[in-house]
Amino acid sequence: MTEETDVAPHLSERWGSALPHIERFIEASSGGGRHAGRSAIRHIRRAWALKDIDKEMAAFRGITAEEESVRAIFHALQKRRYPGASCLKWRDHRQKAAVDPFFRAVSQVLEELAN
């Protein structure tokens, strides 16, 4: 076990079981998207490992993980040439900040449709 996987048990049961699947998708990608995805996983694992030791650093790692995951999403959209994806700027914090509320809204609609 590496240092990166040693902290996986600290993750919640829900996310800990999802990480291997997410990692497979990341490893199947290429270029900047793969690098950003790997970085996001590394930061989220470290955030969970630090949550009871240093809450501020854990929060910083969590925020960094979110930003890196958005960067990976932007790369994937651009790689697949989705309409408008060329306008996405992974360094633009306003654009990155819009991803989470969008996913939350879509998730809420899907949950309501499922019930």
Side-chain angles (χ1 to χ4, degrees):
M1 235 184 224
T2 67
E3 177 189 348
E4 299 301 325
T5 56
D6 287 345
V7 295
H10 297 289
L11 293 170
S12 70
E13 185 177 312
R14 178 179 177 189
W15 286 108
S17 63
L19 280 178
H21 301 290
I22 295 168
E23 286 176 306
R24 275 200 301 273
F25 287 121
I26 290 169
E27 291 306 317
S29 64
S30 61
R34 180 171 50 198
H35 175 73
R38 286 174 175 166
S39 180
I41 295 290
R42 182 175 56 254
H43 283 291
I44 200 65
R45 282 192 166 126
R46 298 253 172 98
W48 275 94
L50 290 169
K51 72 181 179 62
D52 296 326
I53 301 165
D54 185 346
K55 291 191 184 307
E56 292 84 6
M57 191 60 196
F60 178 77
R61 290 283 192 163
I63 291 165
T64 304
E66 182 181 27
E67 293 218 350
E68 287 293 293
S69 65
V70 171
R71 181 177 169 200
I73 291 166
F74 283 9
H75 276 282
L77 293 171
Q78 290 169 343
K79 181 180 177 182
R80 288 162 182 79
R81 295 190 173 108
Y82 274 80
S86 62
C87 298
L88 295 172
K89 297 180 179 93
W90 65 267
R91 290 186 174 163
D92 186 329
H93 290 279
R94 290 176 298 157
Q95 289 184 5
K96 290 191 286 187
V99 173
D100 183 59
F102 173 75
F103 280 158
R104 287 178 190 266
V106 170
S107 296
Q108 184 176 0
V109 169
L110 292 175
E111 186 176 327
E112 289 174 14
L113 290 172
N115 294 326

